Amino acid sequence: MKTAAIKITGSATPPPASGWKLKIAVLLIIAVPAFSGYPLHLVAVQVIPGISASWCLYALVVNLAVLALHGCGRYADIITLAAMITMPVVFSGAIVSHLAGLTGLSPRPPALAAVHYIQLCLTMLAVIPLALGIVTSIPFEAAEQKLLQNSSGVTARQKKLLMILRVFNHICFTVMANLVEIIREERNNFLKAGNGSLSALIGLMRHAAVECICSAVQFIPLWAIEIGSLPGPSPSIAEPAPNLTDQEEQ
Amino acid sequence: MSASEINKLYLVGIVAAFTTLAFLGTTIIRVPLPATGGYFNLGDTFVMAAALLYGPAVGGLVGLVGPAVADAIGFPQFILATAVVKGIEGVLLGLIAGTRARSVSRMVLGLISAVIVLTGGYFVFEAWIYPWLGVKIPFFAVTDFNAALAEIVPNLLQGTISAVLAFAIARVMGKLSRP
């Protein structure tokens, strides 16, 4: 039996695999009000005009649930990422709306825009931790190792799944971490050159994107060969062979 | 281990990579649009680059999945429009640009078509399909004709910037892949 549990890359620490199905089930149940609106819309109490108390409470419940299920360390990562995604959206949106309201470009008065973005902030601070909580519950690394160490062989479908898991892990935990460094370096070069033109900015973005794509796809040919060479399932569990006629069998 | 199996696995890896990049590109850079509650992003760059580099099937799959999954985080009402519009955008661009012997004129024509599909597709969804669906399902009642009109310019800008970047990426990566 060929053992193929060789990892080419992957610096990520595998997330704890215990009880992950239960965690996902709990988080999915908690997610129902976010998408259906029920029973959040039944509460008429408002914290400030236009902002429902039910959404404040819901955001709190979601964050407490994620904290309880994932622990302080992981929750800190999740809420940091959620804040990093939410803040630019909310602040830039509120500024654009405010200016549009003041200049008459938007029919909506600035006060209404403010309420909209506070509500959006609450929604995003509930939905993003929830989504990240669900994604981080899935033990990608453990699933990959389980597939690689499967003694009864790996089916074609499992090989595709293995490839997807490996690429996803590689991009999220290796490429993105390196990309921050690349952007920082390119930004310094951009500032040193003192060329603030649009073409220079596009050049900077192009360079970052090409670096990102190259590092994302660089191992894929190698992985395709490695995963493709994994042993197939043994005959007892192999997919049924197509029915052959007597003539073909002869 | 056959060559076709390796090729299939390679394509699965490429689709997964560009889908993840499109997802991250859509999620990380978000500028909200006050008119519709939607947002401006650069995830299209990776959809267009995938279609230019690997053809209509990869471009379509990346467009169908990556940005739609990103919409699930914070803007779930736009998942339907995003999946349909960006899926078509990827397929059309891949078909027009072609995968072999790409000429600059075909790439440019494909990118212009992709930008038109992006802008026109969202307009159709936001002006007519979402208001029609919103009558039956309140979840979709987020836009109307005026809001859709207001979003044409931001979408055109988003598409154009993404197209310029994708063109530059395809040119650079085309040169890199030549022996």
Side-chain angles (χ1 to χ4, degrees):
Chain A
M1 182 76 206
K2 197 172 178 179
T3 54
I6 307 160
K7 284 274 301 154
I8 294 168
T9 63
S11 55
T13 312
S18 59
W20 64 275
K21 287 179 186 170
L22 181 67
K23 280 182 190 175
I24 290 175
V26 170
L27 290 172
L28 283 176
I29 292 167
I30 293 173
V32 172
F35 292 100
S36 67
Y38 186 84
L40 298 176
H41 69 283
L42 297 178
V43 181
V45 182
Q46 295 188 341
V47 180
I48 53 172
I51 303 297
S52 160
S54 60
W55 266 100
C56 297
L57 193 64
Y58 181 66
L60 186 67
V61 168
V62 165
N63 281 276
L64 286 175
V66 175
L67 173 65
L69 291 170
H70 287 287
C72 285
R74 195 167 286 262
Y75 175 72
D77 292 342
I78 288 172
I79 197 68
T80 303
L81 197 53
M84 281 172 69
I85 295 170
T86 305
M87 292 307 139
V89 172
V90 171
F91 282 114
S92 58
I95 290 167
V96 170
S97 299
H98 192 82
L99 291 176
L102 287 179
T103 53
L105 287 172
S106 168
R108 190 161 55 174
L112 270 182
V115 168
H116 171 76
Y117 284 102
I118 293 171
Q119 180 64 51
L120 181 67
C121 182
L122 273 175
T123 309
M124 290 182 78
L125 286 179
V127 174
I128 296 174
L130 197 55
L132 292 175
I134 292 170
V135 171
T136 51
S137 298
I138 303 168
F140 290 109
E141 195 87 1
E144 187 182 334
Q145 290 304 317
K146 194 179 170 185
L147 284 173
L148 282 170
Q149 290 161 358
N150 191 352
S151 59
S152 56
V154 184
T155 63
R157 196 171 291 174
Q158 284 175 329
K159 284 179 183 177
K160 286 174 188 160
L161 179 63
L162 196 54
M163 177 59 100
I164 293 169
L165 288 174
R166 191 171 277 188
V167 170
F168 181 79
N169 261 339
H170 173 65
I171 292 176
C172 290
F173 295 105
T174 311
V175 175
M176 283 298 121
N178 294 342
L179 189 66
V180 175
E181 274 305 307
I182 292 164
I183 289 177
R184 192 176 293 156
E185 194 181 310
E186 288 299 322
R187 185 176 158 271
N188 288 340
N189 293 340
F190 176 70
L191 292 175
K192 271 181 201 163
N195 186 357
S197 67
L198 184 66
S199 61
L201 182 65
I202 288 174
L204 167 80
M205 290 167 78
R206 181 197 65 189
H207 193 89
V210 169
E211 287 266 12
C212 188
I213 293 171
C214 286
S215 51
V217 302
Q218 65 179 335
F219 292 117
I220 291 175
L222 197 59
W223 288 337
I225 295 169
E226 187 202 349
I227 294 170
S229 65
L230 289 174
S234 56
S236 57
I237 61 158
E239 288 165 5
N243 289 331
L244 298 174
T245 62
D246 290 340
Q247 275 183 334
E248 281 170 334
E249 279 176 340
Q250 283 160 10
Chain B
M1 175 175 62
S2 65
S4 76
E5 188 186 7
I6 291 174
N7 273 340
K8 273 183 195 166
L9 281 170
Y10 174 75
L11 276 180
V12 168
I14 291 294
V15 170
F18 274 90
T19 302
T20 311
L21 290 175
F23 164 72
L24 292 170
T26 310
T27 312
I28 292 170
I29 306 161
R30 281 180 168 179
V31 180
L33 301 172
T36 59
Y39 60 95
F40 174 96
N41 67 81
L42 290 178
D44 282 295
T45 304
F46 295 104
V47 177
M48 293 179 183
L52 284 176
L53 292 168
Y54 298 99
V58 174
L61 277 172
V62 171
L64 187 76
V65 182
V69 174
D71 272 355
I73 300 178
F75 302 85
Q77 63 272 32
F78 288 104
I79 290 174
L80 176 67
T82 301
V84 174
V85 171
K86 298 199 177 178
I88 295 172
E89 173 193 315
V91 172
L92 189 73
L93 174 55
L95 284 174
I96 295 174
T99 46
R100 286 177 194 165
R102 285 188 302 261
S103 66
V104 171
S105 57
R106 282 183 71 169
M107 281 167 69
V108 171
L109 185 66
L111 286 165
I112 291 170
S113 311
V115 175
I116 292 170
V117 166
L118 174 74
T119 313
Y122 271 110
F123 179 77
V124 169
F125 265 93
E126 289 171 1
W128 293 299
I129 298 177
Y130 271 24
W132 177 74
L133 283 172
V135 174
K136 293 164 187 167
I137 311 163
F139 177 73
F140 290 108
V142 284
T143 64
D144 55 27
F145 188 83
N146 290 332
L149 269 181
E151 213 174 83
I152 286 179
V153 175
N155 278 340
L156 204 58
L157 193 66
Q158 172 178 320
T160 308
I161 293 172
S162 295
V164 169
L165 280 172
F167 179 75
I169 290 167
R171 296 280 287 170
V172 171
M173 299 218 28
K175 281 177 191 163
L176 287 178
S177 64
R178 276 181 207 140

